């Protein structure tokens, strides 16, 4: 017994955008993909599976993530990291997820994002099952020499209960900290998802039969009197085989006269 499926490869990633709002944060709005108004910030943002599906996304491998930067930072983001976790579809209001829940998918020593869509090619593409909600975490080390008093802004769609932020000027890194401040300016995001289309598995049962051993007896070379018949018998064979003789008869025996 074995199983077969029919599948069509997905090719390159398809870009799926969640959030179509055109609001822009202020440089003093903490959190988001780029803000460093505080020298250390960590942000978690919840994107529900039904939102991704409604935007045309389906299960597959997330290989890129993009955010729309509306103002470049005064000072660079240091040791910038993006991580992904999944949570149950029942979570519609974000609670801060522990560091152990995340898979780091991107990092860079320094980032000064240009304005416009900034797309990150993930160092570690993430396999998404198409049903769990996605939490994106962004964190970085202490900004030097000070916080940014301009830029670090992003485009967003208002979404309550789906964004939590940690911010502090005095620690060496925000990564690993716990955020409790809820904000509603969750960033619009573009997921690059490579998806394939696959049918359900179908069971195939293959029967391995022994090769029939046909014995018609010793060879006969004789003249048969008119009206006389000789019966050839292929014998009883296992597994209910079919027979085909030279005269197109299909029974176990064949009469020759």
């Amino acid at each position: 017994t074995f199983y077969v499926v029919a599948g069509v490869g997905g090719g390159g990633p398809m870009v799926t955008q969640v959030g179509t709002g055109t609001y822009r944060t202020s440089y003093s709005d903490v959190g988001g993909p780029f803000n460093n108004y505080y020298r250390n910030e960590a942000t978690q943002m919840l994107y529900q599976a039904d939102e991704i599906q409604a935007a045309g996304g389906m299960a597959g491998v997330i290989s890129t993530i993009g955010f729309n930067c509306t103002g470049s930072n005064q000072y660079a983001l240091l040791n910038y990291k993006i991580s992904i976790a999944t949570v149950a579809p029942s979570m519609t209001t974000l609670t801060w997820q522990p560091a152990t829940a995340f898979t780091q998918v991107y990092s860079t020593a320094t980032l000064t994002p240009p304005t416009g869509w900034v797309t990150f090619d993930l160092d570690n593409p993430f396999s998404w099952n198409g049903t769990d909600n996605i939490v994106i975490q962004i964190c970085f080390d202490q900004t030097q020499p000070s916080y940014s008093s301009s830029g670090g802004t992003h485009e967003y769609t208002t979404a309550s209960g789906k964004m939590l932020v940690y911010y502090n000027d005095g620690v060496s890194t925000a990564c690993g900290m716990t955020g409790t401040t809820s904000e509603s300016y969750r960033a619009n995001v573009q997921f690059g998802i490579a998806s394939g289309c696959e049918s359900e598995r179908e069971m195939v049962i293959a029967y391995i039969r022994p090769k029939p051993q046909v014995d018609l007896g010793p060879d006969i070379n004789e003249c048969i009197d008119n009206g006389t018949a000789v019966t050839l018998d292929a014998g009883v064979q296992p597994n209910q085989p079919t027979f085909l003789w030279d005269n197109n008869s299909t029974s176990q025996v064949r009469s020759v006269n």
Side-chain angles (χ1 to χ4, degrees), residues 179-203:
T180 57
T181 301
S182 180
E183 302 291 358
S184 60
Y185 39 82
R186 184 191 66 176
N188 297 342
V189 65
Q190 290 182 344
F191 294 104
I193 307 175
S195 301
C197 180
E198 187 175 280
S199 70
E200 294 184 1
R201 297 198 314 163
E202 294 286 344
M203 183 173 65

Side-chain angles (χ1 to χ4, degrees), residues 25-27 29-37 40-45 47 67-68 73 77 80-82 96 111 120 136-140 152-156 162-167 181 183-188:
T25 57
S26 166
Y27 76 92
D29 291 331
V30 295
F34 307 119
N35 186 267
N36 58 349
Y37 180 66
N40 294 277
E41 295 184 17
T43 299
Q44 291 186 5
M45 295 178 288
Y47 299 91
F67 303 102
N68 194 350
N73 303 62
L77 299 160
Y80 182 88
K81 297 176 182 176
I82 301 175
W96 190 266
L111 175 69
F120 300 96
I136 297 178
Q137 175 177 277
I138 296 169
C139 61
F140 50 86
T153 55
H154 66 267
E155 184 182 65
Y156 71 93
K162 293 176 172 43
M163 177 177 173
L164 290 171
V165 182
Y166 167 86
Y167 55 93
T181 301
E183 302 291 358
S184 60
Y185 39 82
R186 184 191 66 176
N188 297 342

Side-chain angles (χ1 to χ4, degrees), residues 17 58 64 152 175 184 204 218:
Q17 182 172 327
M58 62 184 66
T64 65
C175 300
S184 60
V204 176

Side-chain angles (χ1 to χ4, degrees), residues 190-224:
Q190 290 182 344
F191 294 104
I193 307 175
S195 301
C197 180
E198 187 175 280
S199 70
E200 294 184 1
R201 297 198 314 163
E202 294 286 344
M203 183 173 65
V204 176
I205 300 176
Y207 296 97
I208 309 301
R209 308 292 194 189
K211 182 178 180 181
Q213 300 296 321
V214 178
D215 184 4
L216 300 179
D219 292 344
I220 300 174
N221 185 6
E222 64 178 286
C223 293
I224 300 175

